Amino acid sequence: MDEPEILLELKSLSKSWKEFRIRNVSLEVRRGEYFVVMGPTGAGKTLLLQLIAGIHYPDSGRIILDGMDVTDLPPERRNVGYVPQNYALFPHMTAGENIAYGLRVRGYSKGEADEVVREISRKLGIEELLDRRVSTLSGGEQQRVALARALAIKPKLLLLDEPLSALDAETREEIREYLKGVRRAIGFTAIHVTHDFVEAADLGDRMAVMF
């Protein structure tokens, strides 16, 4: 049986949280698509990702992921990979331990998790980083590790929150090309939020704009 083309559907999603507000957002993301959401700071882009990830719950509207209504499900039951803007890596752990964290939470044994970590690090070309403490990594290296951690759980959907904003211009260009290469090598569906038009145009298959 063929999988449906639409992987994610947001239906009239609304949420007020602190100074941020989202009103009646509806969109569809196709399976295998790299979908970019662009808009200025304060437009609610991060809040939108956190609603999809299950970090917050909407005031109204529905979230349909792979044909299932996940609006009220906790994050661990959505199978969504989320890379926050600050990467949220554990500084006291090695890169390999960070990548394995989500797998261990899901009940993988150490041996099973280590095998997945080796596989994903090979595909992403970061094997040499696995034994290093996160605190010794550059911004670009941390971004690669955060991406590996999100992809290790084999998510249905990858959420990227301003993944290049903390990097210098040269590293931003390098990571843009890296993301395109990883997508070709692995294949995934992603929502990437940014305020940078060049980034959006270079990476996105389609684009939505929030104000």
Side-chain angles (χ1 to χ4, degrees), residues 128-183:
E128 74 282 359
L129 303 180
L130 293 181
D131 294 327
R132 289 176 56 186
R133 295 277 179 181
V134 166
S135 56
T136 71
L137 302 179
S138 69
E141 289 169 339
Q142 289 186 27
Q143 177 61 266
R144 289 173 168 84
V145 171
L147 182 63
R149 183 176 65 180
L151 289 171
I153 63 170
K154 295 181 171 61
K156 292 181 179 178
L157 178 64
L158 180 65
L159 306 175
L160 300 167
D161 187 4
E162 297 274 8
L164 311 183
S165 63
L167 306 174
D168 61 72
E170 182 177 349
T171 307
R172 280 201 302 273
E173 184 174 350
E174 178 184 323
I175 295 295
R176 279 208 314 268
E177 294 305 312
Y178 180 76
L179 282 169
K180 289 189 282 189
V182 170
R183 185 185 176 200

Side-chain angles (χ1 to χ4, degrees), residues 75-145:
E76 63 271 17
R77 293 185 58 195
R78 301 190 184 200
N79 194 21
V80 170
Y82 178 46
V83 180
Q85 191 169 348
N86 63 359
Y87 311 146
L89 297 172
F90 299 109
H92 63 287
M93 293 183 181
T94 65
E97 290 168 340
N98 268 277
I99 297 168
Y101 180 80
L103 299 166
R104 299 303 302 274
V105 168
R106 285 163 173 78
Y108 283 61
S109 69
K110 186 179 187 305
E112 290 169 336
D114 287 347
E115 184 177 346
V116 175
V117 169
R118 285 194 296 270
E119 178 187 1
I120 194 69
S121 63
R122 177 182 57 79
K123 288 180 177 178
L124 272 62
I126 57 170
E127 300 101 316
E128 74 282 359
L129 303 180
L130 293 181
D131 294 327
R132 289 176 56 186
R133 295 277 179 181
V134 166
S135 56
T136 71
L137 302 179
S138 69
E141 289 169 339
Q142 289 186 27
Q143 177 61 266
R144 289 173 168 84
V145 171

Side-chain angles (χ1 to χ4, degrees), residues 1 6 12 19 22 37 46 50 52 54 67 81 85 89 100 107-109 119 122 135 146 159 201-202 206 209:
M1 184 175 177
I6 302 302
S12 301
E19 69 272 26
I22 290 174
V37 178
T46 294
Q50 292 177 344
I52 298 168
Q85 191 169 348
L89 297 172
Y108 283 61
S109 69
E119 178 187 1
R122 177 182 57 79
S135 56
L159 306 175
D202 188 36
R206 287 193 302 145
V209 179

Side-chain angles (χ1 to χ4, degrees), residues 47-69:
L47 180 57
L48 180 67
L49 289 191
Q50 292 177 344
L51 288 169
I52 298 168
I55 297 169
H56 296 296
Y57 296 95
D59 297 330
S60 62
R62 311 309 294 172
I63 302 169
I64 311 299
L65 179 62
D66 204 14
M68 177 185 295
D69 189 332

